[in-house]
Amino acid sequence: MERRTNRWLLLALALLLSITIVRHADIGRIRHVAHNITNRLRPLYTGAHANTTLGFGAIIAVSRPGSPRREGLIRAANITEIDITIPDQPQWNAEDIANLRAAENSTLTRGSALAWLGHLNALRYFLHNTTLSTVLILEDDVDFSLHLRTHQIPLAATAMRMIASNLTVPPSPRSHKSRLQNYWGIPNTWDLLYLGHCGDIYPPESLASLPQSQVIIYPDPTLPPHSALHGKTSSQLSDLHVPEGHRLLHPSIFPLCTFAIALTRHSAQRILTQYAACEADGGTEAYDVRILEACRDPTFRCWTVNPELFHHVEAESEIATVNGGGQWSVTEADGDRREEAFNIGCGVRSLAVREGESVAEARERLRGEERCRIGGVEGDEVTQGGQRS
């Protein structure tokens, strides 16, 4: 326990001293420049575990009745001690699907339509509960790390609070409370947080074109080594010269998939009524494409944690199954079979609970297993430029 505490203290020191910000530089080579933000970060960072809803008002999962993926999600939530709500979904009918499809040149399949309707149902559930100001919406096949609540979320939230402190809060007719700092920063500074996606992939010049104060590279020793990441993720981090054991937080550029997205009440309402109420004329492949299109709107502020904190597990595609074949899997498509989801170190859904073992006992044992031990960034390994010595 003492050793784990010392490691966490070293991580806190590393975060305070070594968060780096991407500076406009040569296109094709992003240089990391140290930014002295210790005094500004100190009041924002606590080192404490996130609460059971990861700093949001609630965590809601999109899961159809009878989904075979639900049991694994609930088990993962119990092991990591997070609270997930799974709203009931109606039995969608042909009229529901017809109302979702574009009036002209629809390309939406029945399977994609059902998944889309499930997301809209989650949004309505969130908005119906007037006590909730933010929500994290998950798809029921996501995997995440055993260290999600204890390390990954506190680090990402601190980085988001840092960015929020650099941004000008837009005027709001709502109460002054909308300008106050919360766990994920000032709510008026973001509309959507991509915590789970299948890649926000872009060339280095796209990142270099963003304002310096809006791109943060921060240490996270729970991130798997680049060699263990998906090939596209690994190549991207290499192209951006991101050190091992570090993640980026930046305005979303080209994010795909909605494995785990956080929303405010205002942004959820806009998605429900403006962006994703139905398929766009000319055709829309899926719900996540409409969300990407929403993020292209400069008035809709989206941010990406990269690499992601949630990714889907290898499983049959329910959309493909509904559509009558063509089961699809990321791992099979890339010729790489693994125990856990891509980019997720110590994925909870692939961890085994022994017979007769309590959840608490399993949690403590699993944290000591080789692939779940926290390594990477230590306080004396980080130089001012964010590079490993």
Side-chain angles (χ1 to χ4, degrees), residues 324-364:
Q327 295 177 355
W328 176 84
S329 161
V330 168
T331 52
E332 290 177 353
D334 290 323
D336 181 5
R337 300 185 63 85
R338 56 183 62 208
E339 291 182 338
E340 61 197 5
F342 272 113
N343 299 346
I344 305 299
C346 189
V348 185
R349 291 178 80 137
S350 63
L351 299 175
V353 177
R354 294 170 179 168
E355 185 176 352
E357 187 177 48
S358 70
V359 170
E361 290 169 339
R363 184 185 310 117
E364 196 60 29

Coordinates of all heavy atoms in Angstrom, one line a residue, residues 324-364:
G324 N -28.3 -9.0 -41.1 CA -28.3 -10.2 -41.8 C -27.0 -10.8 -42.2 O -26.9 -11.5 -43.2
G325 N -25.9 -10.5 -41.5 CA -24.7 -11.1 -41.8 C -23.5 -10.1 -41.8 O -23.7 -8.9 -41.4
G326 N -22.3 -10.6 -42.1 CA -21.2 -9.7 -42.1 C -20.7 -9.3 -40.8 O -20.5 -8.1 -40.5
Q327 N -20.6 -10.3 -39.9 CA -20.1 -10.0 -38.5 C -18.7 -9.3 -38.7 O -17.9 -9.7 -39.4 CB -19.9 -11.2 -37.7 CG -21.3 -11.9 -37.5 CD -21.1 -13.2 -36.7 OE1 -20.0 -13.6 -36.4 NE2 -22.3 -13.8 -36.3
W328 N -18.5 -8.2 -37.9 CA -17.3 -7.4 -38.0 C -16.7 -7.2 -36.6 O -17.3 -7.1 -35.6 CB -17.7 -6.0 -38.5 CG -16.6 -5.1 -38.6 CD1 -15.7 -4.9 -39.6 CD2 -16.3 -4.1 -37.7 NE1 -14.8 -3.9 -39.3 CE2 -15.2 -3.4 -38.2 CE3 -16.8 -3.7 -36.4 CZ2 -14.6 -2.3 -37.5 CZ3 -16.2 -2.6 -35.8 CH2 -15.1 -2.0 -36.3
S329 N -15.4 -7.3 -36.7 CA -14.6 -7.1 -35.4 C -13.3 -6.3 -35.8 O -12.7 -6.6 -36.7 CB -14.2 -8.4 -34.8 OG -13.1 -8.2 -33.9
V330 N -13.0 -5.3 -35.0 CA -11.8 -4.5 -35.2 C -10.6 -5.4 -35.2 O -9.7 -5.3 -36.0 CB -11.7 -3.4 -34.1 CG1 -10.3 -2.7 -34.2 CG2 -12.7 -2.3 -34.4
T331 N -10.5 -6.3 -34.2 CA -9.3 -7.1 -34.0 C -9.2 -8.0 -35.2 O -8.1 -8.2 -35.7 CB -9.4 -7.9 -32.7 OG1 -10.6 -8.6 -32.7 CG2 -9.3 -7.0 -31.5
E332 N -10.3 -8.6 -35.7 CA -10.1 -9.5 -36.8 C -9.8 -8.8 -38.1 O -9.0 -9.2 -38.9 CB -11.5 -10.3 -37.0 CG -11.7 -11.3 -35.9 CD -13.0 -12.0 -36.0 OE1 -13.8 -11.6 -36.9 OE2 -13.3 -13.0 -35.3
A333 N -10.4 -7.6 -38.2 CA -10.1 -6.8 -39.4 C -8.7 -6.4 -39.5 O -8.1 -6.3 -40.6 CB -11.0 -5.5 -39.4
D334 N -8.0 -6.2 -38.4 CA -6.6 -5.8 -38.4 C -5.7 -7.0 -38.2 O -4.5 -6.8 -38.0 CB -6.3 -4.8 -37.3 CG -7.0 -3.5 -37.7 OD1 -7.0 -3.1 -38.8 OD2 -7.5 -2.8 -36.7
G335 N -6.2 -8.2 -38.2 CA -5.4 -9.4 -38.0 C -4.7 -9.5 -36.7 O -3.6 -10.1 -36.6
D336 N -5.3 -9.0 -35.7 CA -4.6 -9.0 -34.3 C -5.7 -9.3 -33.3 O -6.6 -8.6 -33.0 CB -4.1 -7.5 -34.0 CG -3.4 -7.4 -32.7 OD1 -3.3 -8.5 -32.0 OD2 -3.1 -6.3 -32.3
R337 N -5.6 -10.5 -32.8 CA -6.5 -11.0 -31.7 C -5.8 -10.8 -30.4 O -4.7 -11.1 -30.2 CB -6.8 -12.5 -32.0 CG -7.5 -12.7 -33.3 CD -8.0 -14.2 -33.4 NE -9.0 -14.5 -32.4 CZ -10.3 -14.2 -32.6 NH1 -10.7 -13.7 -33.7 NH2 -11.1 -14.6 -31.7
R338 N -6.6 -10.3 -29.4 CA -6.1 -10.0 -28.1 C -7.1 -10.2 -27.1 O -8.3 -10.3 -27.4 CB -5.5 -8.5 -28.1 CG -6.6 -7.5 -28.4 CD -6.0 -6.1 -28.4 NE -5.0 -6.0 -29.4 CZ -4.0 -5.2 -29.3 NH1 -3.9 -4.4 -28.3 NH2 -3.0 -5.1 -30.2
E339 N -6.7 -10.2 -25.8 CA -7.6 -10.5 -24.7 C -8.6 -9.3 -24.5 O -9.7 -9.5 -24.1 CB -6.9 -10.8 -23.4 CG -6.1 -12.1 -23.5 CD -5.4 -12.4 -22.1 OE1 -5.2 -11.4 -21.4 OE2 -5.2 -13.6 -21.8
E340 N -8.1 -8.1 -24.7 CA -8.8 -6.9 -24.3 C -9.0 -6.0 -25.5 O -8.4 -6.3 -26.6 CB -8.1 -6.2 -23.2 CG -6.8 -5.7 -23.5 CD -5.9 -5.3 -22.3 OE1 -6.4 -5.5 -21.2 OE2 -4.8 -4.8 -22.5
A341 N -9.8 -5.0 -25.3 CA -10.0 -4.0 -26.4 C -8.7 -3.3 -26.7 O -7.8 -3.1 -25.9 CB -11.1 -3.0 -26.0
F342 N -8.7 -2.8 -28.0 CA -7.5 -2.0 -28.4 C -7.3 -0.8 -27.5 O -8.2 -0.1 -27.1 CB -7.7 -1.5 -29.8 CG -7.2 -2.5 -30.9 CD1 -8.1 -3.1 -31.7 CD2 -5.9 -2.8 -31.0 CE1 -7.6 -4.0 -32.7 CE2 -5.4 -3.6 -31.9 CZ -6.3 -4.3 -32.8
N343 N -6.0 -0.5 -27.2 CA -5.6 0.7 -26.5 C -6.0 0.7 -25.0 O -5.8 1.8 -24.4 CB -6.1 2.0 -27.2 CG -5.6 2.1 -28.6 OD1 -4.7 1.4 -29.0 ND2 -6.2 3.0 -29.4
I344 N -6.5 -0.3 -24.5 CA -7.0 -0.4 -23.1 C -6.1 -1.3 -22.4 O -6.1 -2.5 -22.6 CB -8.4 -0.9 -23.0 CG1 -9.4 0.0 -23.9 CG2 -8.9 -0.9 -21.5 CD1 -9.4 1.5 -23.5
G345 N -5.2 -0.8 -21.5 CA -4.4 -1.6 -20.7 C -5.1 -2.1 -19.5 O -5.9 -1.4 -18.9
C346 N -5.0 -3.4 -19.2 CA -5.7 -4.0 -18.0 C -7.2 -3.8 -18.1 O -7.9 -3.4 -17.3 CB -5.2 -3.3 -16.7 SG -5.8 -4.1 -15.2
G347 N -7.7 -4.2 -19.3 CA -9.1 -4.2 -19.6 C -9.9 -5.1 -18.6 O -9.6 -6.2 -18.5
V348 N -10.9 -4.5 -18.0 CA -11.6 -5.2 -16.9 C -12.4 -6.3 -17.4 O -12.5 -7.4 -16.8 CB -12.5 -4.2 -16.1 CG1 -13.2 -4.9 -14.9 CG2 -11.8 -3.0 -15.7
R349 N -13.0 -6.2 -18.6 CA -13.9 -7.3 -19.1 C -13.1 -8.6 -19.4 O -13.7 -9.6 -19.5 CB -14.6 -6.8 -20.3 CG -15.6 -5.7 -19.9 CD -16.4 -5.2 -21.1 NE -17.5 -6.1 -21.5 CZ -18.7 -5.7 -21.9 NH1 -19.0 -4.4 -21.8 NH2 -19.6 -6.5 -22.2
S350 N -11.8 -8.5 -19.6 CA -11.0 -9.7 -19.9 C -10.4 -10.2 -18.6 O -9.6 -11.2 -18.7 CB -9.9 -9.3 -20.9 OG -9.0 -8.4 -20.4
L351 N -10.6 -9.6 -17.5 CA -10.0 -10.1 -16.2 C -11.0 -11.2 -15.6 O -12.2 -11.0 -15.6 CB -9.8 -9.0 -15.2 CG -8.8 -7.9 -15.7 CD1 -8.8 -6.7 -14.7 CD2 -7.5 -8.4 -15.9
A352 N -10.4 -12.2 -15.0 CA -11.2 -13.3 -14.5 C -11.3 -13.1 -13.0 O -10.4 -12.9 -12.2 CB -10.5 -14.6 -14.8
V353 N -12.6 -13.4 -12.5 CA -12.9 -13.4 -11.1 C -12.9 -14.9 -10.7 O -13.7 -15.7 -11.3 CB -14.2 -12.8 -10.7 CG1 -14.5 -12.9 -9.2 CG2 -14.1 -11.3 -11.1
R354 N -12.1 -15.3 -9.7 CA -12.1 -16.7 -9.4 C -13.3 -17.2 -8.6 O -14.0 -16.4 -8.0 CB -10.8 -17.0 -8.5 CG -9.5 -16.8 -9.3 CD -8.3 -16.8 -8.3 NE -7.1 -16.6 -9.1 CZ -5.9 -16.3 -8.5 NH1 -5.8 -16.2 -7.2 NH2 -4.8 -16.2 -9.2
E355 N -13.6 -18.4 -8.7 CA -14.8 -19.0 -8.0 C -14.7 -18.8 -6.5 O -13.6 -19.1 -5.9 CB -14.9 -20.5 -8.3 CG -16.2 -21.1 -7.8 CD -16.3 -22.6 -8.2 OE1 -15.5 -23.0 -9.0 OE2 -17.3 -23.2 -7.7
G356 N -15.7 -18.3 -5.9 CA -15.7 -18.0 -4.5 C -15.1 -16.7 -4.1 O -15.0 -16.4 -2.9
E357 N -14.5 -16.0 -5.0 CA -13.8 -14.7 -4.7 C -14.8 -13.6 -4.7 O -15.6 -13.5 -5.7 CB -12.7 -14.5 -5.7 CG -11.8 -13.4 -5.5 CD -10.7 -13.3 -6.5 OE1 -11.0 -13.4 -7.7 OE2 -9.5 -13.2 -6.2
S358 N -14.7 -12.7 -3.7 CA -15.6 -11.5 -3.7 C -15.1 -10.5 -4.8 O -13.9 -10.6 -5.2 CB -15.6 -10.9 -2.4 OG -14.4 -10.3 -2.0
V359 N -15.9 -9.6 -5.1 CA -15.5 -8.5 -6.1 C -14.3 -7.7 -5.5 O -13.4 -7.4 -6.2 CB -16.7 -7.6 -6.4 CG1 -16.2 -6.4 -7.2 CG2 -17.7 -8.3 -7.2
A360 N -14.4 -7.4 -4.2 CA -13.3 -6.6 -3.6 C -12.0 -7.4 -3.6 O -10.9 -6.9 -3.8 CB -13.7 -6.3 -2.1
E361 N -12.1 -8.7 -3.3 CA -10.9 -9.6 -3.3 C -10.3 -9.7 -4.7 O -9.1 -9.6 -4.9 CB -11.2 -11.0 -2.8 CG -11.5 -11.0 -1.3 CD -12.1 -12.3 -0.9 OE1 -12.6 -13.1 -1.7 OE2 -12.0 -12.6 0.3
A362 N -11.2 -9.8 -5.7 CA -10.7 -9.9 -7.1 C -10.0 -8.6 -7.5 O -9.0 -8.6 -8.2 CB -11.9 -10.1 -8.0
R363 N -10.6 -7.4 -7.1 CA -10.1 -6.1 -7.5 C -8.7 -6.0 -6.9 O -7.7 -5.6 -7.6 CB -11.0 -5.0 -6.9 CG -10.6 -3.6 -7.3 CD -11.4 -2.6 -6.5 NE -12.8 -2.9 -6.7 CZ -13.7 -3.2 -5.7 NH1 -13.2 -3.2 -4.4 NH2 -14.9 -3.4 -5.9
E364 N -8.4 -6.4 -5.7 CA -7.1 -6.2 -5.1 C -6.1 -7.1 -5.7 O -5.0 -6.8 -6.0 CB -7.2 -6.4 -3.6 CG -6.0 -6.0 -2.8 CD -5.8 -4.5 -2.9 OE1 -6.8 -3.7 -3.1 OE2 -4.6 -4.0 -2.8

